[in-house]
Amino acid sequence: MTVEYDYIRDPQEIYRQSFAQIKAAADFGSMPADIADIAVRVIHACGMPEAVDELAWSNDVAIKGREALKAGAKIIVDCRMARDGIIRNRLPADNEILCPLIDARVPEIAKEIGNTRSAAAVELWKEHLEGAVVVIGNAPTALFRLLEVLHAGAPKPAAILGFPVGFVGAAESKEALIEADIGVPFMTLRGRRGGSAIASAALNAVAKDNQ
Amino acid sequence: MTVEYDYIRDPQEIYRQSFAQIKAAADFGSMPADIADIAVRVIHACGMPEAVDELAWSNDVAIKGREALKAGAKIIVDCRMARDGIIRNRLPADNEILCPLIDARVPEIAKEIGNTRSAAAVELWKEHLEGAVVVIGNAPTALFRLLEVLHAGAPKPAAILGFPVGFVGAAESKEALIEADIGVPFMTLRGRRGGSAIASAALNAVAKDNQ
């Protein structure tokens, strides 16, 4: 039996209509244009226009993140899914993407510090943190631990795109990021929602040069 | 400065509290127990208890999917993020995970058939479809194309976990799956929401032996 569904098969047209629908459905209010660009990508990744109301950010996160990437900054991710969501050919300097979570030393460090493997991996982020762009798409404990090591004097990243997801610690870790006052540009999504697709979409938007 | 946040650092306790919160927040109604197990994992992946109301499934999807995996079925995914969300050491038969989207032939096939790369990759799924477990976490066009090739007589997979996301075609492709009447067990989430984290979480739940 031949069944042919009526759907749009042209990828450019799919993108065009998607972004048109997002712009019609979400109220970007007085958001700066370069922040709205990230917001559009975040909404695109999760299919939820209402997520725009939960976004929080510092106004320099797009420009500082983009400058860093152009200058060759490393990208540090908290999990493999976030890494794979990054569109590599959009990166301006063939930037290295580091996922220390998969390092063989992580389980041992987790035992030592009495924390999750995601948090333990942050010990291995330290030597790469300076000027890096950090992308967190999974673990609240990674974001909490990052804030702890930054408060304790670890080198500052250029930007934090912090989108951990879930029921235990996610909302709290993102509020901690918003309130941390550590002088690092950031973007986040309040509440339980988040995830690697959103986090990597935010990175992809930051990486894209709109000028 | 030493700042230590008050958060749960024990992964087992994080899981325990997460699942307790999910069970308190979502109404699983008269859902069969093995379907509710998948629903819990889906909610865990996205942080949205209300997603339970949009789930649609055939009652045999958990058992048929699990039987297939135990018997060594291949897993076919539509994107790398879905692949990386699968917990490999939970797979009962060290099952092979195929991601034909990254095959070098895909762009050429996409041109030939006048469809997206995600849909074009389905041409390369065909030879692996029989008895496989299909996991779609990104592309509505992959799900539409899969339904088309199944209607046209392609070998039937053991189960379809169909969770494409987005504004153009996602809701429609999932309604098409629900209505397809092709005799393949499935689970899906109505509407725009979906994504690789949800899709791979569903696979992980199916793979887990609760008996």
Side-chain angles (χ1 to χ4, degrees), chain A residues 1 5 7 84 115 148 151, chain B residues 1 5 84 115 148 151:
Chain A
M1 184 169 63
Y5 292 99
Y7 61 100
D84 280 341
N115 209 320
E148 287 174 351
H151 283 302
Chain B
M1 183 170 62
Y5 293 99
D84 280 342
N115 209 321
E148 287 174 351
H151 283 301

Side-chain angles (χ1 to χ4, degrees), chain A residues 1-11 13-15 17-18 21-22 25 43-50 80-86 88 113-117 119 140-141 143-145 147-148 150-153 165-169 176-177 180 192-197 200, chain B residues 1-11 13-15 17-18 21-22 25 43-50 80-86 88 113-117 119 140-141 143-145 147-148 150-153 165-169 176-177 180 192-197 200:
Chain A
M1 184 169 63
T2 300
V3 173
E4 202 166 284
Y5 292 99
D6 178 23
Y7 61 100
I8 302 170
R9 293 162 169 76
D10 172 20
E13 183 61 16
I14 293 170
Y15 272 107
Q17 290 200 18
S18 294
Q21 283 195 42
I22 291 166
I43 294 168
H44 183 246
C46 63
M48 296 184 286
E50 69 277 16
R80 286 187 302 177
M81 289 182 77
R83 183 188 63 187
D84 280 341
I86 295 172
R88 285 170 194 262
I113 68 170
N115 209 320
T116 64
R117 286 185 296 129
T141 55
L143 180 51
F144 271 130
R145 187 69 194 140
L147 295 175
E148 287 174 351
L150 290 172
H151 283 302
V165 60
F167 291 82
V168 175
L177 172 63
R192 292 168 174 165
R193 294 184 294 191
S196 300
S200 52
Chain B
M1 183 170 62
T2 300
V3 174
E4 201 165 286
Y5 293 99
D6 178 23
Y7 62 100
I8 302 171
R9 293 165 169 75
D10 171 21
E13 183 60 16
I14 292 170
Y15 272 108
Q17 290 200 18
S18 294
Q21 282 195 41
I22 291 166
I43 294 168
H44 183 246
C46 64
M48 295 184 287
E50 70 278 15
R80 287 188 301 178
M81 289 182 78
R83 184 188 61 188
D84 280 342
I86 295 171
R88 284 170 193 262
I113 69 170
N115 209 321
T116 65
R117 287 185 295 129
T141 55
L143 180 51
F144 271 130
R145 187 68 193 141
L147 295 175
E148 287 174 351
L150 290 174
H151 283 301
V165 59
F167 291 82
V168 174
L177 172 62
R192 292 168 174 165
R193 294 185 293 191
S196 299
S200 51

Side-chain angles (χ1 to χ4, degrees), chain B residues 169-192:
Chain B
E172 296 82 353
S173 68
K174 291 181 283 190
E175 290 303 323
L177 172 62
I178 293 166
E179 292 162 14
D181 196 24
I182 44 175
V184 178
F186 69 92
M187 191 167 202
T188 190
L189 184 69
R190 287 190 159 97
R192 292 168 174 165

Side-chain angles (χ1 to χ4, degrees), chain B residues 50-126:
Chain B
E50 70 278 15
V52 73
D53 298 326
E54 306 304 325
L55 286 171
W57 67 89
S58 46
N59 277 331
D60 55 350
V61 65
I63 191 154
K64 292 293 186 188
R66 192 168 300 157
E67 279 175 9
L69 292 175
K70 279 185 178 175
K74 296 175 184 175
I75 299 166
I76 304 176
V77 300
D78 74 326
C79 62
R80 287 188 301 178
M81 289 182 78
R83 184 188 61 188
D84 280 342
I86 295 171
I87 304 172
R88 284 170 193 262
N89 65 16
R90 186 173 294 168
L91 299 177
D94 195 20
N95 306 71
E96 189 179 3
I97 306 175
L98 303 170
C99 182
L101 179 64
I102 62 181
D103 189 291
R105 292 168 290 178
V106 165
E108 190 59 37
I109 299 170
K111 266 189 221 166
E112 274 169 33
I113 69 170
N115 209 321
T116 65
R117 287 185 295 129
S118 293
V122 174
E123 302 304 311
L124 303 177
W125 298 11
K126 285 179 182 171

